[in-house]
Amino acid sequence: MNPRDSSLSPSPSDRRLSALARHLISPSEAGSRGGADVISRSLASSYSLAGGDSVFSHVSRAPEDPILGVTVAFNKDPSPVKLNLGVGAYRTEEGKPLVLNVVRWAEQQLINDRTRVKEYLPIVGLAEFNKLSAKLIFGADSPAILENRVTTVQCLSGTGSLRVGGEFLARHYHQHTIYIPKPTWGNHPKVFTLAGLSVKYYRYYDPATRGLDFQGLLEDLGSAPLGAVVLLHACAHNPTGVDPTLQQWEQIRQLMRSRKLLPFFDSAYQGFASGSLDADAQSIRSFVADGGECLVAQSYAKNMGLYGERVGALSVVCRTADVAGRVESQLKLVIRPMYSNPPIHGASIVAAILRDREMYNEWTIELKAMADRIISMRHQLFDALRGRGTPGDWSHIIKQIGMFTFTGLNSQQVAFMTKEYHIYMTSDGRISMAGLSSRTVPHLVDAIHAAVARAV
Amino acid sequence: MASAMLSFASAAASASASLPVHENLKGKTKIGSVNFGSSVQERNPFGKTKHFGRVSMTVAVNVSRFEGITMAPPDPILGVSEAFKADTDEKKLNLGVGAYRTEELQPYVLKVVKKAENLMLERGENKEYLPIEGLAAFNKATAELLFGAENPVIKQQRVATVQGLSGTGSLRLAAALIERYFPGAKVLISSPTWGNHKNIFNDARVQWSEYRYYDPKTVGLDFDGMIADIKAAPEGSFILLHGCAHNPTGIDPTPEQWEKIADVIQEKNHIPFFDVAYQGFASGSLDADAASVRLLSARGMELLVAQSYSKNLGLYAERIGAINVVCSSADAATRVKSQLKRLARPMYSNPPVHGAKIVANIVGDPALFNEWKAEMEMMAGRIKNVRQKLYDSLSAKDKSGKDWSFILKQIGMFSFTGLSKTQSDNMTNKWHVYMTKDGRISLAGLNLAKCEYLADAIVDSYHNVS
């Protein structure tokens, strides 16, 4: 189709050109037939319809996802000393992915159970999984649970829970702004924007102290519009590893309640951060204890090692059971046109583990072992850097908590480490401690030392 | 609007809850309505309450921020099963959801699926995140299954395949792609179609309109209406087509009709958008059921295909499917795939691994693949038997001379009985037969033993209820 031939009726590609060009030229030109030709002619040279005149000609190639793209690059690297400190997936001392024993145990149980079928789950997912997940995060004796004020729906891990929660708020909550910490997990702004919320930031990380900018946080939340939604990392902040203290959490809670700010917790590391499931849920539980409302996105990707199974849950704590029932019915309307109902396998594993005392205990032991290994890596890295005399204060490595360390290295230093030492990490200087082992710490120390020592 | 007002009022109201008790008694419990013309961006958490005209509302303290939310109605399809469960009558029959049942009316997990799962557990495979686009082995297998491994579109690498959350999730990714890259484009859906199609496009903010499909007079295809409506659609529209076993009617175009559909689509530069939820399940043959897709792709058209393994592999709850975009070049396919990934990442990051591995293991192993084909033929065969028995029972019991042969002509899991909403209600209320209000019954939920009972119910509802 020759775009200059104005005797033909507008082709689909012409219509798309028109749609795009409306941004570039005045409305009066765009509306007329003559306008369509103007657009076509002016864009024809830059808009090639070669290659079979595809209707997808105008679709550009998206860049790799920055976080997952790190693993893509890592996989391509042939170096024998390469180290993947990108994605937050746990690795053993041997550098291997880990499937928990208790998970294998649960899977064997599921396979042996001849009564099991693969019928569609309800839209809200596996009922037993939902109940047990709520108890896990809020505490079995939580008044919100006892009073039936919580609705919990199974979602696709943390991401899916955040997305469903965001869509729900965009449709049913009066305030469409969500405040997220600066920095935060790279996918957060995209999730909430596509859900229909507008994203703003509150100060969080202080590069000078490599700790929490608490004053900045209080100021920014203090000047947020009344009722705005606020995303909080329940523990083990990603990417910084910097968490508020209990006292700071209390101040945050009071400030938020006084301004009617709606908390939306992202809980991706319960039990994985400190080794204690209860301790890592403390921030959430203190908010629920004051009787107020909140949303919680839970993920079992890390703490049960169920990454690829996509298991998670969205809970909405409401003031009354009646409201919770209505909220649940509306959550279903978000889910049904997105994927109808959630996948059964991962949720069945979680339910099997949480419902059985022996399996639950086994899980807590394996969970603590993972958390302990990460803490030990922190100490090893810190000691090694200090021993090496690498310039700088590296104590943040042992002060930060969870899977990630915000090293404070800048993007040039990161690029240098990747190129010269085959260390793969995100360009914000975040490293996954879970990807380190005693064997690989020396190599990382060499790389950091060289990166810091070189003139920028 | 009301909920906004309530929310504003409650914002002011529950602020007073944080005051000490004696302050509360000073009369702050009565709250006037907030003028929602004014900004809520006040520093004073207790706000200034104004009266909106002569309306003022008294709102209790500690009102939920979600107080104004109404109870949503139950899903029309999935809600049927819920109602069925609650029914205590022993004659009850669930012909609602399209999930396969055995002759004993039990759910069915394919033997080949159990074998695959055992293999997976024995191998001790890990549970690492899949790439955003899903399991590579699954994506390869699913495209080859759909188009045929020797198909030029595959050989030339012109298909962008991304694992999706069964049919729904794959349709949603495609809808999101359309919204972003084809703004203003319309999707044409058949009248009737699967009830969730319009919800998917609504939530994805893609406009849709209907093309005529079902002819109640013939209980068959309104082919002329279909062609006319596709022809009348704006150039470059997306035409949603059921690859085989149309849901809810069971009425498929003939091969000759598919050729004419392809003609008019090409003439109008439309983009075919297939929903393939029953490949192999409809006729029993994977290749036969893919004929429509292959016919249109052989014309050189660019097209979209959403696939599901819920029915043909019985993997309903595992949520395994794929979106395929056939492009005119390998480069376009690469670009399209990258953009599909960009839409999936903020939705769920990456898809679930379990169902994908089951499919990849079965399709990748010749012995398992053959076993699958045999089990699929068995399932399709059972449904054909049930259709025959139902037809025979209806013909025997209905003395009016009505032609029930459409039951035999329709294909797949569903039959559009032609019953109206009130007649369908009678089926449920009087006969405890659960079905959707559009007159659709799922033959997968029927067995030979219950055909006569069902025939009685249908004959009664059709003739005695208007």
Side-chain angles (χ1 to χ4, degrees):
Chain A
M1 171 87 47
N2 182 350
R4 293 168 203 262
D5 187 348
S6 57
S7 65
L8 294 168
S9 55
S11 71
S13 39
D14 283 352
R15 284 195 300 118
R16 275 187 295 282
L17 283 174
S18 304
L20 291 167
R22 241 163 253 132
H23 302 292
L24 302 173
I25 65 175
S26 73
S28 58
E29 279 180 297
S32 65
R33 271 303 319 255
D37 296 338
V38 168
I39 300 159
S40 298
R41 275 193 289 276
S42 66
L43 289 178
S45 51
S46 56
Y47 190 92
S48 168
L49 291 172
D53 197 13
S54 169
V55 304
F56 304 110
S57 301
H58 62 301
V59 176
S60 61
R61 181 151 188 180
E64 280 293 346
D65 178 275
I67 302 173
L68 303 176
V70 170
T71 296
V72 170
F74 169 83
N75 287 336
K76 290 200 180 116
D77 188 331
S79 163
V81 300
K82 63 180 180 177
L83 194 51
N84 189 356
L85 302 181
V87 150
Y90 183 82
R91 293 286 177 270
T92 60
E93 260 296 307
E94 296 70 41
K96 300 249 177 301
L98 176 68
V99 178
L100 301 184
N101 288 333
V102 74
V103 166
R104 289 279 182 240
W105 184 2
E107 281 192 305
Q108 194 61 63
Q109 221 178 55
L110 293 172
I111 275 202
N112 293 344
D113 181 357
R114 285 157 200 276
T115 69
R116 283 190 61 77
V117 293
K118 293 194 181 293
E119 295 303 287
Y120 289 124
L121 285 179
I123 301 174
V124 298
L126 190 61
E128 197 192 7
F129 165 83
N130 291 339
K131 282 197 172 54
L132 292 167
S133 291
K135 288 191 175 150
L136 185 68
I137 191 71
F138 299 115
D141 52 356
S142 172
I145 293 186
L146 298 174
E147 291 158 23
N148 268 315
R149 293 192 285 113
V150 186
T151 168
T152 303
V153 300
Q154 181 191 339
C155 290
L156 287 143
S157 205
T159 310
S161 306
L162 292 164
R163 178 64 179 263
V164 171
E167 296 251 351
F168 166 76
L169 292 174
R171 289 172 209 202
H172 297 287
Y173 188 61
H174 68 279
Q175 254 286 2
H176 292 169
T177 307
I178 182 163
Y179 281 76
I180 68 181
K182 192 170 159 60
T184 192
W185 181 44
N187 205 19
H188 276 143
K190 297 172 198 166
V191 171
F192 292 121
T193 303
L194 286 201
L197 297 174
S198 87
V199 169
K200 290 205 156 66
Y201 288 87
Y202 60 90
R203 278 169 284 172
Y204 191 84
Y205 178 69
D206 183 352
T209 60
R210 294 184 184 158
L212 181 61
D213 178 0
F214 193 49
Q215 268 314 115
L217 182 156
L218 291 176
E219 278 174 32
D220 288 348
L221 294 190
S223 56
L226 293 186
V229 186
V230 178
L231 181 75
L232 302 162
H233 295 225
C235 70
H237 181 271
N238 176 2
T240 69
V242 170
D243 283 349
T245 62
L246 283 175
Q247 292 80 3
Q248 289 171 327
W249 270 122
E250 176 55 19
Q251 280 183 263
I252 293 170
R253 184 193 66 78
Q254 284 182 16
L255 170 63
M256 287 184 59
R257 293 312 195 193
S258 74
R259 297 192 58 73
K260 315 315 302 158
L261 302 176
L262 181 65
F264 194 158
F265 284 97
D266 186 350
S267 174
Y269 302 100
Q270 188 190 4
F272 200 94
S274 70
S276 156
L277 288 157
D278 290 322
D280 290 347
Q282 204 38 53
S283 60
I284 294 175
R285 293 179 188 182
S286 68
F287 272 75
V288 174
D290 69 12
E293 298 178 315
C294 66
L295 280 73
V296 181
Q298 253 176 302
S299 165
Y300 290 93
K302 287 86 174 172
N303 61 8
M304 269 203 207
L306 292 174
Y307 307 94
E309 302 288 354
R310 318 310 292 130
V311 206
L314 171 72
S315 288
V316 186
V317 180
C318 307
R319 286 234 182 252
T320 67
D322 185 62
V323 170
R326 287 183 269 129
V327 166
E328 179 164 309
S329 74
Q330 294 292 347
L331 290 173
K332 287 161 76 167
L333 291 193
V334 171
I335 291 169
R336 173 58 159 158
M338 208 184 274
Y339 51 84
S340 282
N341 38 69
I344 193 173
H345 194 69
S348 306
I349 293 172
V350 173
I353 292 172
L354 294 182
R355 86 163 75 97
D356 180 294
R357 174 155 306 201
E358 218 188 316
M359 289 175 99
Y360 182 87
N361 288 338
E362 167 72 25
W363 174 45
T364 59
I365 292 168
E366 289 192 79
L367 182 52
K368 185 157 191 316
M370 289 195 287
D372 285 348
R373 194 181 91 67
I374 285 178
I375 292 171
S376 141
M377 286 303 106
R378 288 185 178 279
H379 286 276
Q380 283 190 36
L381 180 61
F382 172 70
D383 291 342
L385 283 165
R386 231 184 11 170
R388 187 69 187 270
T390 305
D393 174 5
W394 297 98
S395 62
H396 55 284
I397 293 180
I398 47 179
K399 287 187 200 141
Q400 291 164 4
I401 187 170
M403 199 180 269
F404 301 111
T405 288
F406 226 36
T407 55
L409 296 162
N410 64 40
S411 57
Q412 293 105 301
Q413 290 166 325
V414 169
F416 169 81
M417 286 168 62
T418 304
K419 184 156 180 285
E420 303 300 328
Y421 287 83
H422 308 277
I423 309 271
Y424 289 82
M425 51 196 279
T426 46
S427 58
D428 56 4
R430 182 192 86 165
I431 54 173
S432 166
M433 304 309 289
L436 264 182
S437 68
S438 316
R439 196 181 44 83
T440 52
V441 163
H443 180 58
L444 178 60
V445 169
D446 286 345
I448 294 177
H449 192 89
V452 168
R454 71 196 274 265
V456 174
Chain B
M1 280 301 135
S3 66
M5 283 179 71
L6 261 172
S7 301
F8 284 18
S10 70
S14 30
S16 60
S18 59
L19 283 176
V21 172
H22 66 274
E23 286 284 282
N24 263 340
L25 295 176
K26 278 191 192 165
K28 297 233 178 190
T29 50
K30 175 179 173 288
I31 308 294
S33 67
V34 177
N35 177 355
F36 59 79
S38 69
S39 152
V40 197
Q41 310 226 2
E42 297 140 325
R43 306 260 153 181
N44 178 352
F46 307 114
K48 290 194 165 76
T49 60
K50 293 184 186 172
H51 291 282
F52 181 75
R54 277 161 297 173
V55 175
S56 77
M57 297 190 307
T58 304
V59 180
V61 296
N62 290 342
V63 173
S64 167
R65 255 78 69 69
F66 307 115
E67 185 54 51
I69 289 177
T70 55
M71 186 66 114
D75 181 273
I77 301 173
L78 302 176
V80 171
S81 287
E82 283 165 31
F84 171 82
K85 275 205 196 92
D87 188 331
T88 51
D89 190 292
E90 54 167 20
K91 298 189 297 299
K92 68 179 181 175
L93 195 52
N94 188 357
L95 303 183
V97 149
Y100 180 81
R101 294 283 175 271
T102 60
E103 261 301 302
E104 296 72 40
L105 297 186
Q106 293 303 310
Y108 183 59
V109 179
L110 276 69
K111 297 194 184 67
V112 77
V113 167
K114 290 188 189 168
K115 283 193 184 170
E117 284 188 304
N118 273 296
L119 272 171
M120 284 156 58
L121 191 55
E122 274 162 39
R123 278 194 220 120
E125 293 172 349
N126 67 46
K127 294 190 182 296
E128 292 301 286
Y129 289 124
L130 285 178
I132 303 175
E133 68 266 30
L135 185 68
F138 166 79
N139 288 343
K140 180 171 189 292
T142 199
E144 289 180 0
L145 207 63
L146 180 62
F147 295 105
E150 301 306 311
N151 194 314
V153 306
I154 301 257
K155 294 267 167 211
Q156 294 161 14
Q157 297 180 359
R158 293 197 280 118
V159 188
T161 301
V162 168
Q163 179 187 338
L165 290 152
S166 202
T168 308
S170 306
L171 288 162
R172 181 61 178 264
L173 279 183
L177 186 78
I178 293 171
E179 191 273 341
R180 191 173 270 191
Y181 287 100
F182 298 86
K186 245 206 278 204
V187 176
L188 264 73
I189 65 181
S190 64
S191 170
T193 191
W194 180 47
N196 203 26
H197 277 143
K198 65 177 188 332
N199 299 330
I200 293 169
F201 296 117
N202 285 342
D203 275 23
R205 298 188 204 283
V206 171
Q207 281 180 65
W208 55 271
S209 67
E210 289 177 299
Y211 60 87
R212 280 167 282 171
Y213 194 80
Y214 173 65
D215 185 351
K217 290 194 285 326
T218 60
V219 194
L221 178 58
D222 177 1
F223 187 59
D224 291 340
M226 178 180 182
I227 295 296
D229 289 349
I230 292 177
K231 204 166 192 157
E235 260 205 45
S237 295
F238 290 83
I239 313 296
L240 190 65
L241 303 158
H242 298 229
C244 65
H246 183 272
N247 177 1
T249 67
I251 299 161
D252 285 348
T254 62
E256 298 74 30
Q257 289 173 326
W258 274 117
E259 297 275 1
K260 295 213 172 72
I261 293 167
D263 290 340
V264 71
I265 286 179
Q266 276 187 303
E267 193 190 309
K268 298 291 306 212
N269 285 317
H270 291 325
I271 301 166
F273 183 174
F274 281 97
D275 185 350
V276 175
Y278 302 99
Q279 187 187 1
F281 196 93
S283 69
S285 155
L286 287 161
D287 290 320
D289 288 348
S292 59
V293 173
R294 295 177 187 181
L295 189 158
L296 268 73
S297 91
R299 297 268 190 120
M301 286 190 250
E302 293 182 299
L303 48 92
L304 286 69
V305 188
Q307 281 173 290
S308 166
Y309 290 88
S310 291
K311 286 86 174 176
N312 60 8
L313 257 174
L315 293 176
Y316 308 93
E318 303 290 352
R319 317 313 292 130
I320 177 69
I323 178 66
N324 302 271
V325 184
V326 179
C327 308
S328 60
S329 68
D331 180 67
T334 304
R335 287 181 276 115
V336 167
K337 184 161 169 164
S338 75
Q339 295 296 347
L340 286 168
K341 284 164 68 169
R342 218 172 123 232
L343 291 161
R345 174 61 157 156
M347 214 185 275
Y348 48 81
S349 281
N350 38 71
V353 63
H354 196 71
K357 288 210 166 156
I358 293 174
V359 176
N361 276 302
I362 290 171
V363 175
D365 177 300
L368 291 178
F369 187 53
N370 286 335
E371 265 194 61
W372 175 33
K373 287 194 271 195
E375 286 193 87
M376 201 155 39
E377 271 183 51
M378 179 273 295
M379 291 194 286
R382 193 183 91 65
I383 290 181
K384 285 183 201 161
N385 287 344
V386 150
R387 281 189 182 275
Q388 187 65 51
K389 179 96 197 260
L390 179 61
Y391 167 74
D392 293 341
S393 307
L394 282 164
S395 305
K397 286 167 188 289
D398 183 14
K399 307 299 179 197
S400 76
K402 178 177 161 68
D403 179 9
W404 294 99
S405 65
F406 60 83
I407 300 248
L408 296 177
K409 293 188 199 127
Q410 290 164 0
I411 187 170
M413 202 180 267
F414 300 113
S415 177
F416 229 36
T417 55
L419 293 172
S420 70
K421 183 183 178 311
T422 43
Q423 291 167 338
S424 301
D425 286 342
N426 184 67
M427 294 284 288
T428 306
N429 300 334
K430 179 170 173 190
W431 296 88
H432 304 274
V433 172
Y434 288 80
M435 51 192 281
T436 47
K437 306 291 176 209
D438 52 6
R440 181 192 89 166
I441 55 172
S442 166
L443 293 159
L446 182 62
N447 60 8
L448 297 171
K450 301 231 176 179
C451 282
E452 295 209 15
Y453 177 77
L454 179 59
D456 284 335
I458 291 174
V459 170
D460 171 60
S461 304
Y462 182 78
H463 289 296
N464 302 333
V465 177
S466 51

